[in-house]
Amino acid sequence: MKKPIRRIALSIGGGDAPGLNAVIRAAVTAAANRGWECVGIRDGFNGILQPTHYPKGGVVLLTRDQVRGIAHLGGTILGTTNKGNPFHFPTLNADGTVNDTDRSDELLAYFKREGIDALISVGGDGSLTIANELHRKGLRVVGVPKTIDNDLDKTFTTFGFDTAVSFATECLDRLHSTAESHHRVMVVEVMGRYAGWIALHAGISGGAHAILIPEIAFDLDQVAAKIRERDAEGRMYSLVMVAEGALPLHGQRAVLAPAEIGHAERLGGIGEHVTRELAQRTGKDARVVVLGHLLRGGSPTSFDRLAALRFGSAAVRALEAGLSGVMVALAFPNVNYVNLEEVAGRMKAVPLDCDTLQTGRDLGVCFGD
Ligand code: F6P
């Protein structure tokens, strides 16, 4: 029989995503309804591991009042980080070099000392892998899947994705008219890391003529041929959607910065390359728009907001039911729980036989293959 829960902690890790505040609101309220106290850790686990960085406290009490009216707000009231892996914490030496330090025991000791019985960890692949490791070390943990990239396995979708796709779609809608007016090629680069979900969904919804995703190595000669074909038919402009992790057939991914201790590599720049090459191959005027972090900002769509509220509440129900080492997942139309073990370290790529991709092909979209 597990010890009854009296106090839980919430931690958000990785890049922010619209819907985080909705998770916080639902989890804190559901916990309060059960008579549990809830604390929020600032910036992943940094609020505990780097307490001096937080003059107002690295761990804050979250009451019903504090989470009122926040479900519609973008960002996160707790902050987040993608540089705070407690198992690979970057420690700066006096000579400027950085050590990879395992500080997970400090974290567990903190939880014990402060009477924190369980953790709700909200994050993407990296944060959920950490959550799984903490569970293995004996902490009661429930994960909540978050990422605009939608690349987490075992859940139909993650919150943040719909908001990112809706915004990117609106951007494409706007670019049609300016591209057409100038008879240009407009290239739109979107985030998504090594998965092409955002590019695929927004590209098809927004009527892109070519969509380049990491799952299909692209040949720019094919894209240039598509643009020429459209020109020949009198449609003198083209929109090309490119995922930041898209892979040229005989080239490399565009990397802005290499991986560091506790921090993944930064992708970006492929849009610039595609634009330059297409201008050269087609002789047309071409421009690039990089949507970048705009995809992570703003209010969550109602779909993401509801998913996030459901996830936050389901995480508390999981803890109440004595579950640990699980992630809340959307198994449309319901939520269920899957083992973190099945999620950690796995990436959900776009399946090449999925109907969304087939739909694109039926609509005449060029995938660069
Ligand atoms: O995982 C979310 C994400 O927005 C990716 O799509 C992107 O590659 C990365 O985070 C960007 O991270 P940062 O905020 O560190 O630039």
Side-chain angles (χ1 to χ4, degrees):
M1 175 78 179
K2 282 191 175 153
K3 188 176 149 223
I5 290 179
R6 294 208 175 78
R7 201 163 191 235
I8 64 169
L10 262 174
S11 160
I12 318 276
D16 67 340
L20 282 170
N21 284 324
V23 176
I24 296 172
R25 167 157 172 70
V28 170
T29 309
N33 288 343
R34 286 158 175 81
W36 305 352
E37 193 174 88
C38 193
V39 294
I41 307 165
R42 295 218 179 271
D43 302 340
F45 297 109
N46 289 357
I48 294 173
L49 298 177
Q50 298 182 312
T52 53
H53 292 203
Y54 301 90
K56 289 186 179 168
V59 180
V60 290
L61 182 66
L62 294 171
T63 63
R64 275 178 211 276
D65 273 351
Q66 271 149 332
V67 299
R68 235 168 233 142
I70 64 165
H72 65 294
L73 300 177
T76 150
I77 60 165
L78 287 176
T80 185
T81 180
N82 48 20
K83 288 185 177 164
N85 184 342
F87 291 91
H88 296 282
F89 207 80
T91 312
L92 192 62
N93 299 317
D95 63 358
T97 55
V98 179
N99 270 4
D100 182 337
T101 317
D102 181 352
R103 298 186 62 190
S104 57
D105 285 341
E106 269 175 71
L107 207 58
L108 295 181
Y110 178 92
F111 286 139
K112 198 163 180 195
R113 201 169 59 241
E114 296 297 318
I116 295 170
D117 304 307
L119 170 74
I120 295 179
S121 171
V122 189
D125 177 36
S127 309
L128 295 174
T129 302
I130 295 167
N132 190 38
E133 293 296 314
L134 291 172
H135 159 72
R136 282 202 201 153
K137 289 189 90 162
L139 188 69
R140 286 159 81 172
V141 185
V142 170
V144 170
K146 162 246 59 167
T147 167
I148 64 163
D149 303 340
N150 195 38
D151 59 353
L152 276 176
D153 206 8
K154 306 287 175 207
T155 181
F156 171 73
T157 193
T158 49
F159 68 84
F161 174 63
D162 185 62
T163 310
V165 168
S166 303
F167 177 73
T169 303
E170 190 193 329
C171 291
L172 279 180
D173 289 349
R174 286 168 184 250
L175 288 170
H176 275 276
S177 57
T178 176
E180 187 164 22
S181 306
H182 288 266
H183 320 297
R184 277 177 174 156
V185 175
M186 297 292 306
V187 176
V188 182
E189 179 184 312
V190 289
M191 285 184 168
R193 297 203 70 79
Y194 309 109
W197 294 104
I198 299 177
L200 179 68
H201 283 222
I204 290 178
S205 306
H209 308 107
I211 302 174
L212 309 178
I213 59 175
E215 292 83 352
I216 304 175
F218 67 84
D219 177 353
L220 283 176
D221 285 338
Q222 300 294 336
V223 184
K226 171 75 186 175
I227 293 168
R228 279 195 290 270
E229 181 191 305
R230 283 180 50 77
D231 279 2
E233 288 166 354
R235 296 193 294 269
M236 308 295 289
Y237 79 101
S238 291
L239 297 187
V240 179
M241 180 63 110
V242 57
E244 62 178 359
L247 193 62
L249 191 54
H250 301 295
Q252 304 280 323
R253 253 190 198 107
V255 175
L256 282 179
E260 289 165 25
I261 294 167
H263 183 36
E265 68 182 1
R266 276 180 65 207
L267 301 175
I270 191 71
E272 191 70 54
H273 165 76
V274 166
T275 306
R276 215 175 29 245
E277 289 291 319
L278 288 178
Q280 207 173 52
R281 284 168 211 230
T282 62
K284 290 181 75 76
D285 213 10
R287 297 285 188 274
V288 62
V289 178
V290 179
L291 296 184
H293 293 82
L294 288 169
L295 294 164
R296 298 222 306 244
S299 290
T301 57
S302 55
F303 181 90
D304 280 343
R305 207 178 301 183
L306 180 60
L309 289 166
R310 291 169 69 196
F311 284 174
S313 142
V316 168
R317 290 199 302 276
L319 289 175
E320 186 178 40
L323 297 179
S324 178
V326 296
M327 177 188 87
V328 179
L330 194 56
F332 220 63
N334 297 312
V335 292
N336 69 354
Y337 304 108
V338 295
N339 286 329
L340 278 171
E341 203 72 51
E342 294 177 67
V343 181
R346 294 210 196 160
M347 192 200 87
K348 182 177 71 181
V350 173
L352 294 183
D353 59 353
C354 73
D355 84 278
T356 314
L357 219 137
Q358 305 296 335
T359 303
R361 294 203 190 275
D362 281 337
L363 289 168
V365 173
C366 168
F367 287 94
D369 55 348

